[in-house]
Amino acid sequence: MSSDVTSLIDRYCAVWNEPDADSRKELLEAVWAERATYTDPRADTVGADELLVHIASIRMSRPGAKIVRTTAVDLHHGVARFGWRVVEADGTPLPEGLDIAELSPDGKRIARIIGFFGPMVVI
């Protein structure tokens, strides 16, 4: 696993945790490819501005909550996956999630995130 990709994912997670909107925008622009997309069960965004609006709304609904990466970053063929969870301001952990990140061709930015909520179901 490349430490560069782990760093990229950690910097992406830090965007969600940044309380200041201007700083959050600066952090996102450093890791987000032009016209990158973000999709989860509640959102489908294109570009940094749409994602920033979504993040701001989530932050307003969960003041002080943090996104914490909970797994190693797994990578192959320019696609990464990683586990995460939200931890409320009082320390209460919420159910885990999983993100799939498609990297830009140079591997330096995120071109697409697909997020899933909750643990994988074992059958």
Side-chain angles (χ1 to χ4, degrees), residues 41-110:
R42 298 182 186 156
D44 190 16
T45 71
V46 177
D49 290 341
E50 287 184 16
L51 180 54
L52 288 166
V53 168
H54 176 64
I55 292 171
S57 72
I58 297 299
R59 290 191 53 77
M60 285 179 49
S61 70
R62 298 197 178 283
K66 300 276 185 191
I67 298 286
V68 178
R69 182 169 55 85
T70 58
T71 68
V73 177
D74 192 18
L75 173 71
H76 70 81
H77 296 92
V79 178
R81 70 175 176 172
F82 61 97
W84 55 268
R85 78 170 53 237
V86 174
V87 178
E88 297 282 16
D90 68 0
T92 303
L94 297 180
E96 63 195 83
L98 171 76
D99 278 6
I100 307 295
E102 181 181 330
L103 305 180
S104 60
D106 66 4
K108 295 184 180 190
R109 294 183 185 265
I110 297 168

